[in-house]
Amino acid sequence: MDKSELVISDLRAGYGSLDILNGIDLDVGKGEFVALMGPNGAGKSTLLKTLFGQTTIKSGSILWQGGNIAGLHPREILSRGVSYVPQGRCNFPLMTVDENLQVAAFTIADDKVLSDRDYVYELFPALQARRSTLAGNMSGGEQQLLEMAMAVLQRPKILLVDEPSVGLSPTAIGVVFEELQRIHANGHTILLVEQNTKKAMAVASRAIILRLGKVIWDGAPADITHDELGELFLTGRMAKEDASMP
Amino acid sequence: MLNLLGEQLLNGIVTGSVYAIVAVGMTMTFGVLRVINFAHGEYFMVGTFASWFVIEKFDLGYPQSVVFAVALTALLAIVVGYFLMRKMVGAPFENGVLATLGVSLILQNLAVALFGGSYKFFNGGYIEPVELFGYGLAQQRILIVIVCVLVFIGLDLMVTYSRMGKSMRAVSQNIECCEIVGIDVQSVVLWTFVIGASLAGLSGVLTAPVNVSVYGGMGELITFKTLPIIIMGGLGNVRGTLIAAMILGIAESFVAGFIGLQFRDSVGFVTLILMLMWRPHGLFSLQSRF
Ligand SMILES: Nc1ncnc2c1ncn2[C@@H]1O[C@H](COP(=O)(O)OP(=O)(O)O)[C@@H](O)[C@H]1O
Ligand SMILES: [Mg+2]
């Protein structure tokens, strides 16, 4: 692991005057695959939105590659190599797969777009065959792949993905996770929020557990059992104290 | 009888072309902003006035006056778009109604304040008749149809292939998602509005030689005619607007010719009501939406 590219310190943020994140401290190194987990309402989605500039930040800092991106506009954050795949459907349903990719690549210089689309199609063979299908006519799983492909096309230095498996069939979930691993293997840093903890722990190089807007556990997936994870979700504590607790 | 039929059909196509060029701007603005621009007809009026003014006061030729009129309308639209329209992204629907009605009143009264409330005579364009399929038709009317065809080919290419066009479709299909891919929604709204308003101005100058009279309230009737067209065409649908405008133009022409001129201006809403009874979602499916 290289030195940390993303350093979040004492981050307090939320919606308007309502604080959801209550002092987050978190480092992510280059090339890491971090699974961010926690009970419903813990603030996982809020953390990703905050990193992408879509919430109100009260205090703290988000150092990204040495610069503070806290409070910047999403377009500026995107141009600095942070791409975001939000939860739920986020594509242009009446455009074809190829058009969706073109639109997603508007931030890239024109002459690179074509070769970059080929790169993405190589990474997502399932989409290659669907190039001229309208996005809205595809299955939920295919649309999720498209949305990930749109983000990957932006050649992000870090990819924020929020619950890509929600509402998908077991087969589609399998494909999505395979794809995430492939993206990671191609050198992209990934911060993944996931309810499906089994799957997430299997692919991630690091697990972080969020509860009530704070990080309560941070370590290697191998260092925590599923029972312990469940206990942490529920109570915020583990009966058997763990060395990696911050 | 057949002669009259053909003549009304030709007239209808000309009227339909005028409506199409005006209405397409309103429908595109709606597509990206979800706002019915009640001031849309006023850009038609501004274009007409601008052309009339430079012809009367500076003795400019008609073609030069067209360029001036469209440029001035575009400039006005940039100002209104920058300070008002783009700020309405995400605002409640009522804001759009009130704001655009306000702009409409201001522009109408400004025209009256600057040039007086009387009707002006438009003196320009190509009004000599030529023979077409055995009918006499003013050159200007043929010009209107040709410009309409060119405008729609141009818009279709832009919407389908250009970055701007794809951004417009993106904003109209999923505005929340635009931030994720880095599309500047406000700027897309601004330029869509400027294109639309300029086309309304263009339509105004093109029609002026045929309509002849120029007055501050002339935009109102245009807005009123445009509404049923954009609803029939499927709000935000470019091709649908062209077809709906042609239907309305031809229907008006037939009503005026065979039933009575006094019924002409009610044709739009009557056609709209009949069509909505038959196809409540408009003539065209969302599939073809721009
Ligand atoms: N747009 C919003 N406005 C106000 N509160 C919100 C908004 N989105 C989420 N919240 C609240 O923030 C808290 C954390 O939500 P979220 O970050 O979505 O949790 P998670 O993704 O961990 O399930 C919840 O209590 C939720 O109700
Ligand atoms: Mg969530």
Side-chain angles (χ1 to χ4, degrees):
Chain A
M1 185 175 95
D2 294 22
K3 73 174 189 47
S4 295
E5 278 201 304
L6 177 68
V7 182
I8 303 170
S9 318
D10 193 33
L11 184 63
R12 287 167 202 278
Y15 306 95
S17 58
L18 177 69
D19 276 359
I20 304 293
L21 306 179
N22 300 306
I24 299 265
D25 290 295
L26 180 65
D27 296 5
V28 178
K30 193 172 174 179
E32 274 198 285
F33 191 150
V34 179
L36 189 61
M37 295 169 293
N40 251 326
K44 306 179 294 292
S45 297
T46 305
L47 177 56
L48 293 198
K49 277 188 214 159
T50 303
L51 294 178
F52 198 69
Q54 293 185 324
T55 62
T56 318
I57 295 177
K58 173 121 0 125
S59 64
S61 66
I62 306 169
L63 288 183
W64 166 245
Q65 298 188 318
N68 192 358
I69 59 166
L72 292 186
H73 191 277
R75 266 203 313 284
E76 174 63 27
I77 294 174
L78 181 64
S79 74
R80 294 191 185 198
V82 180
S83 287
Y84 173 41
V85 185
Q87 192 178 338
R89 287 290 66 86
C90 186
N91 58 49
F92 304 106
L94 302 179
M95 287 197 227
T96 64
V97 165
D98 205 54
E99 283 178 327
N100 269 275
L101 289 173
Q102 289 168 30
V103 169
F106 278 179
T107 48
I108 307 174
D110 256 327
D111 50 343
K112 274 193 67 208
V113 172
L114 222 73
S115 63
D116 280 21
R117 282 226 297 292
D118 288 342
Y119 162 75
V120 164
Y121 281 130
E122 249 167 63
L123 211 54
F124 293 82
L127 291 178
Q128 172 92 56
R130 301 290 245 153
R131 298 180 77 120
S132 8
T133 307
L134 293 185
N137 287 348
M138 300 200 298
S139 70
E142 286 171 318
Q143 292 189 45
Q144 183 63 49
L145 290 183
L146 171 62
E147 287 153 18
M148 289 178 0
M150 287 162 74
V152 168
L153 183 54
Q154 295 157 353
R155 293 287 181 118
K157 302 196 183 90
I158 186 167
L159 188 60
L160 315 173
V161 188
D162 199 351
E163 307 223 16
S165 74
V166 156
L168 301 191
S169 71
T171 326
I173 294 176
V175 176
V176 164
F177 273 91
E178 261 171 46
E179 213 51 81
L180 282 169
Q181 282 176 285
R182 218 194 303 222
I183 296 167
H184 180 236
N186 258 263
H188 298 273
T189 310
I190 296 181
L191 183 52
L192 167 73
V193 168
E194 190 47 66
Q195 287 284 353
N196 190 331
T197 51
K198 261 204 175 96
K199 285 266 182 204
M201 302 275 271
V203 295
S205 57
R206 189 166 146 214
I208 286 169
I209 298 168
L210 219 62
R211 194 170 183 275
L212 302 173
K214 273 180 162 335
V215 174
I216 58 164
W217 198 88
D218 183 347
D223 290 345
I224 188 165
T225 66
H226 268 93
D227 290 344
E228 290 170 331
L229 199 72
E231 200 180 330
L232 271 177
F233 274 31
L234 214 60
T235 64
R237 285 178 293 117
M238 263 196 284
K240 160 176 82 72
E241 277 303 297
D242 192 294
S244 54
M245 234 183 101
Chain B
M1 180 67 193
L2 204 64
N3 222 5
L4 190 60
L5 220 64
E7 198 177 320
Q8 298 301 351
L9 184 67
L10 273 182
N11 279 335
I13 290 173
V14 174
T15 311
S17 300
V18 171
Y19 291 163
I21 304 173
V22 184
V24 76
M26 184 131 139
T27 213
M28 283 161 67
T29 304
F30 182 88
V32 293
L33 198 55
R34 299 293 186 272
V35 163
I36 300 274
N37 179 13
F38 285 100
H40 195 66
E42 269 61 54
Y43 299 95
F44 178 96
M45 180 269 290
V46 167
T48 314
F49 256 100
S51 169
W52 166 81
F53 184 76
V54 291
I55 288 175
E56 292 298 314
K57 307 293 169 201
F58 299 108
D59 217 16
L60 238 58
Y62 178 68
Q64 291 90 322
S65 85
V66 173
V67 174
F68 175 79
V70 174
L72 189 80
T73 315
L75 202 68
L76 173 67
I78 289 174
V79 174
V80 176
Y82 186 84
F83 289 105
L84 188 73
M85 300 305 276
R86 77 186 175 106
K87 303 269 169 75
M88 288 194 285
V89 172
F93 188 75
E94 317 83 78
N95 290 21
V97 175
L98 290 175
T100 60
L101 276 175
V103 170
S104 161
L105 286 177
I106 291 170
L107 291 177
Q108 278 188 38
N109 287 296
L110 201 65
V112 173
L114 287 175
F115 304 110
S118 63
Y119 283 57
K120 277 117 197 117
F121 183 77
F122 190 91
N123 195 2
Y126 311 100
I127 41 180
E128 295 81 49
V130 284
E131 275 253 328
L132 193 73
F133 313 122
Y135 306 102
L137 205 63
Q139 289 172 343
Q140 186 74 29
R141 290 176 183 264
I142 298 170
L143 180 68
I144 290 172
V145 177
I146 293 172
V147 171
C148 173
V149 171
L150 293 178
V151 162
F152 273 83
I153 291 176
L155 284 178
D156 211 65
L157 291 176
M158 182 193 75
V159 163
T160 312
Y161 298 108
S162 75
R163 247 180 203 224
M164 175 66 193
K166 283 175 197 151
S167 304
M168 284 160 64
R169 276 148 73 203
V171 173
S172 106
Q173 289 174 25
N174 190 346
I175 195 163
E176 285 82 27
C177 186
C178 286
E179 203 157 68
I180 306 297
V181 295
I183 291 176
D184 185 344
V185 174
Q186 289 206 353
S187 135
V188 172
V189 164
L190 170 64
W191 293 112
T192 306
F193 171 69
V194 170
I195 294 171
S198 308
L199 286 175
L202 174 67
S203 184
V205 234
L206 284 177
T207 328
V210 181
N211 276 359
V212 175
S213 56
V214 182
Y215 57 101
M218 66 191 294
E220 239 172 33
L221 185 64
I222 291 295
T223 304
F224 174 76
K225 293 276 174 80
T226 306
L227 279 171
I229 293 175
I230 66 171
I231 298 169
M232 268 194 276
L235 288 160
N237 187 327
V238 171
R239 291 185 197 182
T241 302
L242 177 61
I243 296 168
M246 285 299 162
I247 291 175
L248 182 62
I250 294 168
E252 274 192 8
S253 170
F254 275 72
V255 167
F258 296 107
I259 302 178
L261 190 61
Q262 70 271 33
F263 297 110
R264 190 189 62 189
D265 292 340
S266 62
V267 170
F269 281 98
V270 171
T271 315
L272 175 66
I273 291 165
L274 291 177
M275 192 229 54
L276 287 179
M277 285 162 66
W278 170 52
R279 292 194 67 158
H281 295 291
L283 283 177
F284 307 96
S285 72
L286 283 178
Q287 272 324 270
S288 54
R289 196 162 191 173
F290 93 79

